[in-house]
Amino acid sequence: MALLHFDDEDKLLGIELITEPAELVRYCVARDAAMHHAVRYDRFAAQVAAVE
């Protein structure tokens, strides 16, 4: 797993490699939860347009 660090202007400051198994599992759980709740861009854009 690579954790990218950026400053306030989106300039890449560095990359941190995560190799600790327990920490990798935490990141994978967060990724899986995000994917479970994700919607396609076209659906998201339609929802935003409906609100505006």
Side-chain angles (χ1 to χ4, degrees):
M1 171 78 60
L3 186 58
L4 306 178
H5 298 279
F6 294 91
D7 66 11
D8 292 337
E9 296 171 354
D10 292 331
K11 179 182 174 189
L12 181 62
L13 299 175
I15 300 170
E16 178 183 353
L17 294 178
I18 308 296
T19 59
E20 173 63 36
E23 196 170 355
L24 288 171
V25 169
R26 286 195 302 271
Y27 282 109
C28 289
V29 168
R31 179 209 53 209
D32 293 347
M35 291 300 291
H36 175 75
H37 294 284
V39 296
R40 291 176 46 100
Y41 175 77
D42 54 347
R43 182 175 168 197
F44 170 76
Q47 290 173 337
V48 170
V51 171
E52 294 176 345

mmCIF file of all heavy atoms in Angstrom:
data_model
loop_
_atom_site.group_PDB
_atom_site.id
_atom_site.type_symbol
_atom_site.label_atom_id
_atom_site.label_comp_id
_atom_site.label_asym_id
_atom_site.label_seq_id
_atom_site.Cartn_x
_atom_site.Cartn_y
_atom_site.Cartn_z
ATOM 1 N N MET A 1 0.855 -1.142 0.000
ATOM 2 C CA MET A 1 0.000 0.000 0.000
ATOM 3 C C MET A 1 0.910 1.215 0.000
ATOM 4 O O MET A 1 1.908 1.245 0.702
ATOM 5 C CB MET A 1 -0.887 -0.020 1.240
ATOM 6 C CG MET A 1 -1.696 1.214 1.485
ATOM 7 S SD MET A 1 -3.167 1.378 0.494
ATOM 8 C CE MET A 1 -4.094 -0.045 0.926
ATOM 9 N N ALA A 2 0.551 2.195 -0.790
ATOM 10 C CA ALA A 2 1.313 3.434 -0.828
ATOM 11 C C ALA A 2 0.410 4.573 -0.362
ATOM 12 O O ALA A 2 -0.675 4.768 -0.893
ATOM 13 C CB ALA A 2 1.824 3.714 -2.223
ATOM 14 N N LEU A 3 0.838 5.281 0.644
ATOM 15 C CA LEU A 3 0.110 6.425 1.176
ATOM 16 C C LEU A 3 0.801 7.678 0.644
ATOM 17 O O LEU A 3 1.980 7.909 0.906
ATOM 18 C CB LEU A 3 0.138 6.402 2.700
ATOM 19 C CG LEU A 3 -0.670 7.434 3.446
ATOM 20 C CD1 LEU A 3 -2.143 7.356 3.067
ATOM 21 C CD2 LEU A 3 -0.505 7.229 4.943
ATOM 22 N N LEU A 4 0.073 8.453 -0.153
ATOM 23 C CA LEU A 4 0.638 9.644 -0.779
ATOM 24 C C LEU A 4 0.359 10.859 0.096
ATOM 25 O O LEU A 4 -0.774 11.057 0.549
ATOM 26 C CB LEU A 4 0.037 9.851 -2.168
ATOM 27 C CG LEU A 4 0.128 8.659 -3.117
ATOM 28 C CD1 LEU A 4 -0.547 8.980 -4.441
ATOM 29 C CD2 LEU A 4 1.567 8.229 -3.334
ATOM 30 N N HIS A 5 1.363 11.666 0.328
ATOM 31 C CA HIS A 5 1.242 12.878 1.140
ATOM 32 C C HIS A 5 1.338 14.102 0.231
ATOM 33 O O HIS A 5 2.296 14.234 -0.533
ATOM 34 C CB HIS A 5 2.343 12.933 2.203
ATOM 35 C CG HIS A 5 2.286 11.809 3.177
ATOM 36 N ND1 HIS A 5 1.437 11.812 4.252
ATOM 37 C CD2 HIS A 5 2.965 10.639 3.222
ATOM 38 C CE1 HIS A 5 1.604 10.691 4.939
ATOM 39 N NE2 HIS A 5 2.524 9.955 4.328
ATOM 40 N N PHE A 6 0.336 14.991 0.322
ATOM 41 C CA PHE A 6 0.278 16.206 -0.494
ATOM 42 C C PHE A 6 0.198 17.428 0.403
ATOM 43 O O PHE A 6 -0.318 17.360 1.520
ATOM 44 C CB PHE A 6 -0.971 16.185 -1.393
ATOM 45 C CG PHE A 6 -0.946 15.106 -2.431
ATOM 46 C CD1 PHE A 6 -1.481 13.862 -2.170
ATOM 47 C CD2 PHE A 6 -0.389 15.340 -3.678
ATOM 48 C CE1 PHE A 6 -1.470 12.859 -3.125
ATOM 49 C CE2 PHE A 6 -0.369 14.351 -4.648
ATOM 50 C CZ PHE A 6 -0.917 13.102 -4.367
ATOM 51 N N ASP A 7 0.671 18.571 -0.110
ATOM 52 C CA ASP A 7 0.504 19.821 0.630
ATOM 53 C C ASP A 7 -0.822 20.461 0.223
ATOM 54 O O ASP A 7 -1.603 19.876 -0.534
ATOM 55 C CB ASP A 7 1.693 20.769 0.411
ATOM 56 C CG ASP A 7 1.834 21.279 -1.007
ATOM 57 O OD1 ASP A 7 0.907 21.095 -1.827
ATOM 58 O OD2 ASP A 7 2.879 21.879 -1.308
ATOM 59 N N ASP A 8 -1.090 21.655 0.732
ATOM 60 C CA ASP A 8 -2.357 22.344 0.472
ATOM 61 C C ASP A 8 -2.534 22.741 -0.991
ATOM 62 O O ASP A 8 -3.644 23.027 -1.429
ATOM 63 C CB ASP A 8 -2.483 23.588 1.354
ATOM 64 C CG ASP A 8 -2.641 23.233 2.820
ATOM 65 O OD1 ASP A 8 -3.076 22.100 3.119
ATOM 66 O OD2 ASP A 8 -2.319 24.089 3.663
ATOM 67 N N GLU A 9 -1.446 22.746 -1.749
ATOM 68 C CA GLU A 9 -1.514 23.101 -3.171
ATOM 69 C C GLU A 9 -1.452 21.859 -4.058
ATOM 70 O O GLU A 9 -1.179 21.946 -5.249
ATOM 71 C CB GLU A 9 -0.396 24.081 -3.514
ATOM 72 C CG GLU A 9 -0.541 25.398 -2.771
ATOM 73 C CD GLU A 9 0.662 26.292 -2.926
ATOM 74 O OE1 GLU A 9 1.677 25.858 -3.522
ATOM 75 O OE2 GLU A 9 0.592 27.434 -2.443
ATOM 76 N N ASP A 10 -1.695 20.693 -3.455
ATOM 77 C CA ASP A 10 -1.701 19.404 -4.151
ATOM 78 C C ASP A 10 -0.347 18.994 -4.718
ATOM 79 O O ASP A 10 -0.263 18.205 -5.653
ATOM 80 C CB ASP A 10 -2.765 19.368 -5.260
ATOM 81 C CG ASP A 10 -4.164 19.397 -4.703
ATOM 82 O OD1 ASP A 10 -4.362 18.902 -3.570
ATOM 83 O OD2 ASP A 10 -5.062 19.901 -5.382
ATOM 84 N N LYS A 11 0.720 19.519 -4.152
ATOM 85 C CA LYS A 11 2.067 19.101 -4.548
ATOM 86 C C LYS A 11 2.430 17.858 -3.741
ATOM 87 O O LYS A 11 2.267 17.821 -2.522
ATOM 88 C CB LYS A 11 3.078 20.209 -4.274
ATOM 89 C CG LYS A 11 4.495 19.836 -4.634
ATOM 90 C CD LYS A 11 5.471 20.945 -4.304
ATOM 91 C CE LYS A 11 6.891 20.480 -4.551
ATOM 92 N NZ LYS A 11 7.871 21.441 -4.048
ATOM 93 N N LEU A 12 2.905 16.840 -4.440
ATOM 94 C CA LEU A 12 3.293 15.596 -3.777
ATOM 95 C C LEU A 12 4.503 15.842 -2.881
ATOM 96 O O LEU A 12 5.551 16.299 -3.338
ATOM 97 C CB LEU A 12 3.618 14.522 -4.819
ATOM 98 C CG LEU A 12 4.008 13.160 -4.267
ATOM 99 C CD1 LEU A 12 2.879 12.539 -3.452
ATOM 100 C CD2 LEU A 12 4.429 12.242 -5.401
ATOM 101 N N LEU A 13 4.340 15.543 -1.612
ATOM 102 C CA LEU A 13 5.419 15.727 -0.645
ATOM 103 C C LEU A 13 6.216 14.455 -0.418
ATOM 104 O O LEU A 13 7.397 14.508 -0.081
ATOM 105 C CB LEU A 13 4.858 16.214 0.688
ATOM 106 C CG LEU A 13 4.131 17.548 0.664
ATOM 107 C CD1 LEU A 13 3.526 17.841 2.026
ATOM 108 C CD2 LEU A 13 5.078 18.662 0.233
ATOM 109 N N GLY A 14 5.558 13.321 -0.567
ATOM 110 C CA GLY A 14 6.260 12.063 -0.355
ATOM 111 C C GLY A 14 5.315 10.882 -0.408
ATOM 112 O O GLY A 14 4.099 11.034 -0.446
ATOM 113 N N ILE A 15 5.916 9.703 -0.418
ATOM 114 C CA ILE A 15 5.160 8.456 -0.475
ATOM 115 C C ILE A 15 5.603 7.586 0.693
ATOM 116 O O ILE A 15 6.802 7.397 0.924
ATOM 117 C CB ILE A 15 5.421 7.723 -1.801
ATOM 118 C CG1 ILE A 15 5.001 8.601 -2.970
ATOM 119 C CG2 ILE A 15 4.696 6.383 -1.825
ATOM 120 C CD1 ILE A 15 5.433 8.075 -4.319
ATOM 121 N N GLU A 16 4.633 7.081 1.421
ATOM 122 C CA GLU A 16 4.901 6.208 2.569
ATOM 123 C C GLU A 16 4.406 4.808 2.212
ATOM 124 O O GLU A 16 3.227 4.623 1.908
ATOM 125 C CB GLU A 16 4.161 6.751 3.789
ATOM 126 C CG GLU A 16 4.288 5.945 5.029
ATOM 127 C CD GLU A 16 3.467 6.527 6.172
ATOM 128 O OE1 GLU A 16 2.901 7.627 6.028
ATOM 129 O OE2 GLU A 16 3.397 5.857 7.208
ATOM 130 N N LEU A 17 5.297 3.837 2.214
ATOM 131 C CA LEU A 17 4.899 2.471 1.924
ATOM 132 C C LEU A 17 4.432 1.797 3.206
ATOM 133 O O LEU A 17 5.131 1.810 4.214
ATOM 134 C CB LEU A 17 6.054 1.694 1.306
ATOM 135 C CG LEU A 17 6.508 2.169 -0.069
ATOM 136 C CD1 LEU A 17 7.695 1.348 -0.555
ATOM 137 C CD2 LEU A 17 5.378 2.118 -1.071
ATOM 138 N N ILE A 18 3.235 1.240 3.146
ATOM 139 C CA ILE A 18 2.658 0.555 4.298
ATOM 140 C C ILE A 18 2.806 -0.946 4.061
ATOM 141 O O ILE A 18 2.307 -1.480 3.075
ATOM 142 C CB ILE A 18 1.150 0.902 4.456
ATOM 143 C CG1 ILE A 18 0.934 2.412 4.454
ATOM 144 C CG2 ILE A 18 0.564 0.226 5.681
ATOM 145 C CD1 ILE A 18 1.560 3.155 5.592
ATOM 146 N N THR A 19 3.496 -1.616 4.970
ATOM 147 C CA THR A 19 3.724 -3.055 4.824
ATOM 148 C C THR A 19 3.244 -3.852 6.033
ATOM 149 O O THR A 19 3.228 -5.083 5.978
ATOM 150 C CB THR A 19 5.215 -3.346 4.581
ATOM 151 O OG1 THR A 19 5.974 -2.849 5.687
ATOM 152 C CG2 THR A 19 5.706 -2.700 3.286
ATOM 153 N N GLU A 20 2.856 -3.186 7.091
ATOM 154 C CA GLU A 20 2.380 -3.864 8.297
ATOM 155 C C GLU A 20 1.039 -4.535 7.994
ATOM 156 O O GLU A 20 0.078 -3.866 7.613
ATOM 157 C CB GLU A 20 2.234 -2.852 9.430
ATOM 158 C CG GLU A 20 1.596 -3.389 10.688
ATOM 159 C CD GLU A 20 2.408 -4.485 11.338
ATOM 160 O OE1 GLU A 20 3.647 -4.397 11.302
ATOM 161 O OE2 GLU A 20 1.793 -5.422 11.864
ATOM 162 N N PRO A 21 0.935 -5.858 8.136
ATOM 163 C CA PRO A 21 -0.284 -6.570 7.766
ATOM 164 C C PRO A 21 -1.561 -6.035 8.425
ATOM 165 O O PRO A 21 -2.585 -5.873 7.748
ATOM 166 C CB PRO A 21 -0.003 -8.009 8.196
ATOM 167 C CG PRO A 21 1.482 -8.131 8.114
ATOM 168 C CD PRO A 21 2.000 -6.774 8.548
ATOM 169 N N ALA A 22 -1.520 -5.735 9.706
ATOM 170 C CA ALA A 22 -2.722 -5.244 10.384
ATOM 171 C C ALA A 22 -3.157 -3.890 9.836
ATOM 172 O O ALA A 22 -4.361 -3.624 9.688
ATOM 173 C CB ALA A 22 -2.477 -5.151 11.891
ATOM 174 N N GLU A 23 -2.207 -3.045 9.522
ATOM 175 C CA GLU A 23 -2.526 -1.736 8.967
ATOM 176 C C GLU A 23 -3.092 -1.873 7.552
ATOM 177 O O GLU A 23 -4.029 -1.175 7.167
ATOM 178 C CB GLU A 23 -1.279 -0.849 8.973
ATOM 179 C CG GLU A 23 -1.582 0.612 8.784
ATOM 180 C CD GLU A 23 -0.377 1.495 9.041
ATOM 181 O OE1 GLU A 23 0.684 0.994 9.453
ATOM 182 O OE2 GLU A 23 -0.515 2.709 8.809
ATOM 183 N N LEU A 24 -2.540 -2.801 6.781
ATOM 184 C CA LEU A 24 -3.057 -3.055 5.434
ATOM 185 C C LEU A 24 -4.507 -3.515 5.492
ATOM 186 O O LEU A 24 -5.328 -3.098 4.673
ATOM 187 C CB LEU A 24 -2.207 -4.107 4.727
ATOM 188 C CG LEU A 24 -0.826 -3.653 4.279
ATOM 189 C CD1 LEU A 24 -0.010 -4.843 3.793
ATOM 190 C CD2 LEU A 24 -0.931 -2.593 3.214
ATOM 191 N N VAL A 25 -4.840 -4.350 6.454
ATOM 192 C CA VAL A 25 -6.218 -4.820 6.602
ATOM 193 C C VAL A 25 -7.146 -3.640 6.878
ATOM 194 O O VAL A 25 -8.230 -3.553 6.300
ATOM 195 C CB VAL A 25 -6.325 -5.887 7.716
ATOM 196 C CG1 VAL A 25 -7.770 -6.178 8.057
ATOM 197 C CG2 VAL A 25 -5.610 -7.161 7.283
ATOM 198 N N ARG A 26 -6.731 -2.708 7.720
ATOM 199 C CA ARG A 26 -7.571 -1.529 8.017
ATOM 200 C C ARG A 26 -7.831 -0.722 6.751
ATOM 201 O O ARG A 26 -8.956 -0.272 6.503
ATOM 202 C CB ARG A 26 -6.919 -0.657 9.090
ATOM 203 C CG ARG A 26 -7.008 -1.238 10.481
ATOM 204 C CD ARG A 26 -6.676 -0.204 11.561
ATOM 205 N NE ARG A 26 -5.353 0.378 11.408
ATOM 206 C CZ ARG A 26 -4.239 -0.103 11.936
ATOM 207 N NH1 ARG A 26 -4.276 -1.197 12.656
ATOM 208 N NH2 ARG A 26 -3.087 0.518 11.759
ATOM 209 N N TYR A 27 -6.804 -0.522 5.935
ATOM 210 C CA TYR A 27 -6.985 0.215 4.682
ATOM 211 C C TYR A 27 -7.907 -0.551 3.728
ATOM 212 O O TYR A 27 -8.730 0.047 3.039
ATOM 213 C CB TYR A 27 -5.642 0.494 4.010
ATOM 214 C CG TYR A 27 -4.892 1.640 4.627
ATOM 215 C CD1 TYR A 27 -3.749 1.434 5.383
ATOM 216 C CD2 TYR A 27 -5.333 2.947 4.459
ATOM 217 C CE1 TYR A 27 -3.057 2.496 5.955
ATOM 218 C CE2 TYR A 27 -4.642 4.017 5.021
ATOM 219 C CZ TYR A 27 -3.510 3.783 5.756
ATOM 220 O OH TYR A 27 -2.833 4.837 6.311
ATOM 221 N N CYS A 28 -7.761 -1.863 3.680
ATOM 222 C CA CYS A 28 -8.617 -2.663 2.795
ATOM 223 C C CYS A 28 -10.074 -2.623 3.235
ATOM 224 O O CYS A 28 -10.980 -2.572 2.402
ATOM 225 C CB CYS A 28 -8.114 -4.103 2.734
ATOM 226 S SG CYS A 28 -6.569 -4.272 1.819
ATOM 227 N N VAL A 29 -10.320 -2.621 4.532
ATOM 228 C CA VAL A 29 -11.683 -2.517 5.054
ATOM 229 C C VAL A 29 -12.289 -1.174 4.654
ATOM 230 O O VAL A 29 -13.436 -1.110 4.204
ATOM 231 C CB VAL A 29 -11.708 -2.709 6.588
ATOM 232 C CG1 VAL A 29 -13.047 -2.320 7.179
ATOM 233 C CG2 VAL A 29 -11.366 -4.151 6.936
ATOM 234 N N ALA A 30 -11.519 -0.103 4.785
ATOM 235 C CA ALA A 30 -12.005 1.228 4.395
ATOM 236 C C ALA A 30 -12.280 1.278 2.895
ATOM 237 O O ALA A 30 -13.297 1.815 2.443
ATOM 238 C CB ALA A 30 -10.999 2.302 4.791
ATOM 239 N N ARG A 31 -11.383 0.711 2.090
ATOM 240 C CA ARG A 31 -11.579 0.671 0.635
ATOM 241 C C ARG A 31 -12.835 -0.111 0.274
ATOM 242 O O ARG A 31 -13.656 0.325 -0.531
ATOM 243 C CB ARG A 31 -10.375 0.019 -0.041
ATOM 244 C CG ARG A 31 -10.529 -0.082 -1.549
ATOM 245 C CD ARG A 31 -9.808 -1.243 -2.166
ATOM 246 N NE ARG A 31 -10.149 -2.501 -1.541
ATOM 247 C CZ ARG A 31 -9.332 -3.542 -1.465
ATOM 248 N NH1 ARG A 31 -8.116 -3.467 -1.954
ATOM 249 N NH2 ARG A 31 -9.711 -4.656 -0.889
ATOM 250 N N ASP A 32 -13.026 -1.261 0.917
ATOM 251 C CA ASP A 32 -14.190 -2.084 0.615
ATOM 252 C C ASP A 32 -15.484 -1.380 0.991
ATOM 253 O O ASP A 32 -16.485 -1.470 0.267
ATOM 254 C CB ASP A 32 -14.086 -3.433 1.327
ATOM 255 C CG ASP A 32 -12.953 -4.299 0.787
ATOM 256 O OD1 ASP A 32 -12.407 -3.972 -0.292
ATOM 257 O OD2 ASP A 32 -12.609 -5.291 1.457
ATOM 258 N N ALA A 33 -15.489 -0.660 2.106
ATOM 259 C CA ALA A 33 -16.679 0.098 2.512
ATOM 260 C C ALA A 33 -16.966 1.208 1.509
ATOM 261 O O ALA A 33 -18.125 1.434 1.127
ATOM 262 C CB ALA A 33 -16.492 0.678 3.917
ATOM 263 N N ALA A 34 -15.930 1.894 1.051
ATOM 264 C CA ALA A 34 -16.114 2.962 0.061
ATOM 265 C C ALA A 34 -16.671 2.394 -1.239
ATOM 266 O O ALA A 34 -17.589 2.968 -1.842
ATOM 267 C CB ALA A 34 -14.786 3.678 -0.189
ATOM 268 N N MET A 35 -16.146 1.274 -1.682
ATOM 269 C CA MET A 35 -16.627 0.660 -2.917
ATOM 270 C C MET A 35 -18.078 0.193 -2.777
ATOM 271 O O MET A 35 -18.862 0.285 -3.719
ATOM 272 C CB MET A 35 -15.733 -0.519 -3.317
ATOM 273 C CG MET A 35 -14.348 -0.097 -3.755
ATOM 274 S SD MET A 35 -14.354 1.000 -5.193
ATOM 275 C CE MET A 35 -14.895 -0.125 -6.456
ATOM 276 N N HIS A 36 -18.450 -0.272 -1.602
ATOM 277 C CA HIS A 36 -19.817 -0.728 -1.356
ATOM 278 C C HIS A 36 -20.815 0.420 -1.511
ATOM 279 O O HIS A 36 -21.929 0.224 -2.005
ATOM 280 C CB HIS A 36 -19.931 -1.348 0.045
ATOM 281 C CG HIS A 36 -21.309 -1.741 0.419
ATOM 282 N ND1 HIS A 36 -21.920 -2.867 -0.094
ATOM 283 C CD2 HIS A 36 -22.209 -1.157 1.231
ATOM 284 C CE1 HIS A 36 -23.146 -2.953 0.399
ATOM 285 N NE2 HIS A 36 -23.335 -1.933 1.212
ATOM 286 N N HIS A 37 -20.422 1.615 -1.097
ATOM 287 C CA HIS A 37 -21.319 2.778 -1.135
ATOM 288 C C HIS A 37 -21.121 3.653 -2.371
ATOM 289 O O HIS A 37 -21.812 4.657 -2.535
ATOM 290 C CB HIS A 37 -21.131 3.621 0.131
ATOM 291 C CG HIS A 37 -21.567 2.904 1.365
ATOM 292 N ND1 HIS A 37 -22.888 2.743 1.708
ATOM 293 C CD2 HIS A 37 -20.853 2.282 2.327
ATOM 294 C CE1 HIS A 37 -22.975 2.054 2.831
ATOM 295 N NE2 HIS A 37 -21.747 1.767 3.229
ATOM 296 N N ALA A 38 -20.200 3.285 -3.238
ATOM 297 C CA ALA A 38 -19.901 4.093 -4.418
ATOM 298 C C ALA A 38 -21.039 4.025 -5.441
ATOM 299 O O ALA A 38 -21.767 3.041 -5.512
ATOM 300 C CB ALA A 38 -18.606 3.602 -5.055
ATOM 301 N N VAL A 39 -21.179 5.117 -6.194
ATOM 302 C CA VAL A 39 -22.135 5.151 -7.306
ATOM 303 C C VAL A 39 -21.380 5.562 -8.566
ATOM 304 O O VAL A 39 -20.355 6.239 -8.497
ATOM 305 C CB VAL A 39 -23.308 6.128 -7.052
ATOM 306 C CG1 VAL A 39 -24.136 5.681 -5.867
ATOM 307 C CG2 VAL A 39 -22.816 7.539 -6.848
ATOM 308 N N ARG A 40 -21.893 5.160 -9.711
ATOM 309 C CA ARG A 40 -21.268 5.542 -10.978
ATOM 310 C C ARG A 40 -21.307 7.055 -11.124
ATOM 311 O O ARG A 40 -22.219 7.715 -10.634
ATOM 312 C CB ARG A 40 -21.992 4.883 -12.147
ATOM 313 C CG ARG A 40 -21.812 3.388 -12.208
ATOM 314 C CD ARG A 40 -22.639 2.789 -13.342
ATOM 315 N NE ARG A 40 -22.515 3.532 -14.574
ATOM 316 C CZ ARG A 40 -21.736 3.190 -15.599
ATOM 317 N NH1 ARG A 40 -21.024 2.091 -15.523
ATOM 318 N NH2 ARG A 40 -21.694 3.923 -16.701
ATOM 319 N N TYR A 41 -20.318 7.591 -11.843
ATOM 320 C CA TYR A 41 -20.231 9.040 -12.009
ATOM 321 C C TYR A 41 -21.478 9.608 -12.670
ATOM 322 O O TYR A 41 -21.990 10.648 -12.241
ATOM 323 C CB TYR A 41 -18.992 9.429 -12.819
ATOM 324 C CG TYR A 41 -18.970 10.912 -13.091
ATOM 325 C CD1 TYR A 41 -18.600 11.807 -12.094
ATOM 326 C CD2 TYR A 41 -19.376 11.415 -14.326
ATOM 327 C CE1 TYR A 41 -18.613 13.170 -12.327
ATOM 328 C CE2 TYR A 41 -19.389 12.776 -14.566
ATOM 329 C CZ TYR A 41 -19.003 13.647 -13.563
ATOM 330 O OH TYR A 41 -19.029 14.994 -13.794
ATOM 331 N N ASP A 42 -21.988 8.941 -13.702
ATOM 332 C CA ASP A 42 -23.158 9.483 -14.400
ATOM 333 C C ASP A 42 -24.367 9.574 -13.475
ATOM 334 O O ASP A 42 -25.133 10.532 -13.523
ATOM 335 C CB ASP A 42 -23.481 8.699 -15.664
ATOM 336 C CG ASP A 42 -23.657 7.206 -15.441
ATOM 337 O OD1 ASP A 42 -23.297 6.696 -14.358
ATOM 338 O OD2 ASP A 42 -24.152 6.535 -16.368
ATOM 339 N N ARG A 43 -24.519 8.607 -12.585
ATOM 340 C CA ARG A 43 -25.621 8.648 -11.608
ATOM 341 C C ARG A 43 -25.405 9.786 -10.607
ATOM 342 O O ARG A 43 -26.326 10.528 -10.278
ATOM 343 C CB ARG A 43 -25.718 7.313 -10.887
ATOM 344 C CG ARG A 43 -26.838 7.237 -9.900
ATOM 345 C CD ARG A 43 -26.949 5.841 -9.324
ATOM 346 N NE ARG A 43 -27.842 5.842 -8.179
ATOM 347 C CZ ARG A 43 -27.892 4.890 -7.293
ATOM 348 N NH1 ARG A 43 -27.135 3.824 -7.414
ATOM 349 N NH2 ARG A 43 -28.716 4.969 -6.280
ATOM 350 N N PHE A 44 -24.177 9.932 -10.126
ATOM 351 C CA PHE A 44 -23.843 11.011 -9.201
ATOM 352 C C PHE A 44 -24.110 12.372 -9.844
ATOM 353 O O PHE A 44 -24.721 13.249 -9.241
ATOM 354 C CB PHE A 44 -22.384 10.906 -8.765
ATOM 355 C CG PHE A 44 -21.889 12.090 -8.001
ATOM 356 C CD1 PHE A 44 -22.246 12.285 -6.681
ATOM 357 C CD2 PHE A 44 -21.067 13.031 -8.614
ATOM 358 C CE1 PHE A 44 -21.788 13.386 -5.971
ATOM 359 C CE2 PHE A 44 -20.610 14.128 -7.918
ATOM 360 C CZ PHE A 44 -20.975 14.300 -6.594
ATOM 361 N N ALA A 45 -23.650 12.539 -11.085
ATOM 362 C CA ALA A 45 -23.824 13.810 -11.791
ATOM 363 C C ALA A 45 -25.309 14.126 -11.966
ATOM 364 O O ALA A 45 -25.735 15.278 -11.827
ATOM 365 C CB ALA A 45 -23.124 13.763 -13.148
ATOM 366 N N ALA A 46 -26.118 13.120 -12.262
ATOM 367 C CA ALA A 46 -27.560 13.329 -12.404
ATOM 368 C C ALA A 46 -28.176 13.761 -11.089
ATOM 369 O O ALA A 46 -29.059 14.634 -11.056
ATOM 370 C CB ALA A 46 -28.221 12.057 -12.922
ATOM 371 N N GLN A 47 -27.732 13.187 -9.983
ATOM 372 C CA GLN A 47 -28.256 13.567 -8.665
ATOM 373 C C GLN A 47 -27.885 14.998 -8.336
ATOM 374 O O GLN A 47 -28.698 15.757 -7.804
ATOM 375 C CB GLN A 47 -27.720 12.616 -7.579
ATOM 376 C CG GLN A 47 -28.288 11.228 -7.663
ATOM 377 C CD GLN A 47 -27.625 10.286 -6.687
ATOM 378 O OE1 GLN A 47 -26.485 10.504 -6.243
ATOM 379 N NE2 GLN A 47 -28.304 9.197 -6.354
ATOM 380 N N VAL A 48 -26.655 15.400 -8.649
ATOM 381 C CA VAL A 48 -26.220 16.763 -8.386
ATOM 382 C C VAL A 48 -27.019 17.750 -9.234
ATOM 383 O O VAL A 48 -27.472 18.781 -8.758
ATOM 384 C CB VAL A 48 -24.699 16.928 -8.637
ATOM 385 C CG1 VAL A 48 -24.283 18.379 -8.603
ATOM 386 C CG2 VAL A 48 -23.922 16.108 -7.619
ATOM 387 N N ALA A 49 -27.220 17.416 -10.502
ATOM 388 C CA ALA A 49 -27.969 18.284 -11.400
ATOM 389 C C ALA A 49 -29.405 18.440 -10.930
ATOM 390 O O ALA A 49 -29.994 19.522 -11.039
ATOM 391 C CB ALA A 49 -27.932 17.735 -12.810
ATOM 392 N N ALA A 50 -29.981 17.393 -10.376
ATOM 393 C CA ALA A 50 -31.362 17.441 -9.892
ATOM 394 C C ALA A 50 -31.506 18.376 -8.686
ATOM 395 O O ALA A 50 -32.532 19.022 -8.516
ATOM 396 C CB ALA A 50 -31.856 16.051 -9.533
ATOM 397 N N VAL A 51 -30.462 18.485 -7.888
ATOM 398 C CA VAL A 51 -30.488 19.344 -6.694
ATOM 399 C C VAL A 51 -30.321 20.803 -7.095
ATOM 400 O O VAL A 51 -30.917 21.701 -6.508
ATOM 401 C CB VAL A 51 -29.396 18.919 -5.687
ATOM 402 C CG1 VAL A 51 -29.280 19.924 -4.566
ATOM 403 C CG2 VAL A 51 -29.692 17.540 -5.151
ATOM 404 N N GLU A 52 -29.512 21.048 -8.112
ATOM 405 C CA GLU A 52 -29.260 22.426 -8.551
ATOM 406 C C GLU A 52 -30.449 22.914 -9.281
ATOM 407 O O GLU A 52 -31.033 23.834 -9.311
ATOM 408 C CB GLU A 52 -28.023 22.473 -9.463
ATOM 409 C CG GLU A 52 -26.768 22.110 -8.713
ATOM 410 C CD GLU A 52 -25.568 22.053 -9.637
ATOM 411 O OE1 GLU A 52 -25.723 22.009 -10.872
ATOM 412 O OE2 GLU A 52 -24.450 22.047 -9.121
#
